[in-house]
Amino acid sequence: GESVGLHLPTLSVQEGDNSIINCAYSNSASDYFIWYKQESGKGPQFIIDIRSNMDKRQGQRVTVLLNKTVKHLSLQIAATQPGDSAVYFCAENGAGTALIFGKGTTLSVSS
Amino acid sequence: GAVVSQHPSWVICKSGTSVKIECRSLDFQATTMFWYRQFPKQSLMLMATSNEGSKATYEQGVEKDKFLINHASLTLSTLTVTSAHPEDSSFYICSANRNRDGGTDTQYFGPGTRLTVL
């Protein structure tokens, strides 16, 4: 079946570095993508979203890039802070209202 | 805005009992809510889609008679785990759809409910 996946299960960075978390999706009909952050024992928190008619969207310290040609999504976090340590999930909203989640990347930020 | 709450945050029950989990959208109305379960170090698995005023749509492999869903109002959906067993122990998370930017529905998640069945 079609699914959303992430390239790396874990990513370790130093405080202040920029982080890039990647996601590959397979459903070419997907037209909406979301990045969520989940801290231990909590529900996912919306970070940023992007529609398929865009290739880049910026938020506060975060940027999402969408490459529809290779079906690739990335989340860039500038000046990563210890509070950014969490599991990051990409999700796609393809044919319906339900989301398909990737497996998640655990970001660890060391001081 | 877009706050979703769940109650209880955690619950411990005996095997064979039923547990009800509430999901509320606090500052917006949601015609569609979703229920997920998540095992340790795994991604979220969609269990069912809850539609206000109609029957829930369950994902393949999810027993509708075991996981009863009721979406009685635009701000409340409930999940009842009937005759719970230890294998039902998990982290249950709900989400609610909210329209953003005038055209796209985005899911906002509750804080989750940790269920432990003894």
Side-chain angles (χ1 to χ4, degrees):
Chain A
E2 296 173 313
S3 64
V4 177
L6 291 168
H7 292 302
L8 293 174
T10 61
L11 176 65
S12 297
V13 301
Q14 292 284 325
E15 181 178 3
D17 288 351
N18 295 330
S19 302
I20 300 176
I21 300 172
N22 295 305
C23 175
Y25 65 95
S26 58
N27 187 348
S28 57
S30 296
D31 58 3
Y32 182 57
F33 304 87
I34 310 171
W35 279 102
Y36 288 95
K37 170 187 179 183
Q38 186 178 27
E39 298 175 83
S40 181
K42 298 183 180 180
Q45 176 187 357
F46 173 91
I47 301 175
I48 193 167
D49 60 355
I50 189 168
R51 300 180 194 177
S52 60
N53 61 351
M54 303 170 68
D55 53 20
K56 180 180 180 179
R57 192 171 188 203
Q58 289 184 295
Q60 188 175 13
R61 279 203 308 119
V62 295
T63 301
V64 55
L65 299 177
L66 175 64
N67 186 329
K68 294 180 288 294
T69 302
V70 295
K71 297 177 188 169
H72 185 268
L73 191 69
S74 69
L75 176 70
Q76 299 179 0
I77 305 174
T80 313
Q81 304 168 0
D84 295 326
S85 295
V87 179
Y88 289 80
F89 293 97
C90 64
E92 63 178 321
N93 187 349
T97 57
L99 288 175
I100 302 171
F101 280 82
K103 295 182 179 179
T105 291
T106 299
L107 175 65
S108 299
V109 183
S110 54
S111 305
Chain B
V3 179
V4 178
S5 70
Q6 279 183 244
H7 178 80
S9 300
W10 58 273
V11 57
I12 301 173
C13 69
K14 293 182 178 180
S15 184
T17 61
S18 295
V19 175
K20 179 187 283 188
I21 303 171
E22 293 185 349
C23 177
R24 294 182 184 271
S25 55
L26 299 185
D27 53 358
F28 65 100
Q29 293 182 329
T31 55
T32 305
M33 292 184 174
F34 303 88
W35 286 97
Y36 297 82
R37 67 187 298 181
Q38 185 178 35
F39 292 106
K41 299 189 183 302
Q42 293 188 22
S43 189
L44 285 77
M45 184 189 78
L46 179 65
M47 298 176 65
T49 301
S50 172
N51 299 296
E52 188 268 336
S54 64
K55 292 183 179 180
T57 303
Y58 290 82
E59 294 300 300
Q60 190 173 12
V62 179
E63 300 176 58
K64 63 179 181 180
D65 294 330
K66 180 169 183 63
F67 298 100
L68 301 178
I69 291 173
N70 183 278
H71 195 154
S73 77
L74 290 173
T75 59
L76 173 64
S77 175
T78 61
L79 168 68
T80 301
V81 183
T82 63
S83 187
H85 291 284
E87 57 266 30
D88 298 323
S89 299
S90 188
F91 193 48
Y92 291 86
I93 311 173
C94 73
S95 69
N97 254 3
R98 184 183 188 185
N99 189 269
R100 290 182 72 246
D101 301 332
T104 305
D105 284 339
T106 298
Q107 285 188 37
Y108 292 90
F109 286 82
T113 296
R114 174 75 57 193
L115 171 63
T116 301
V117 184
L118 303 177

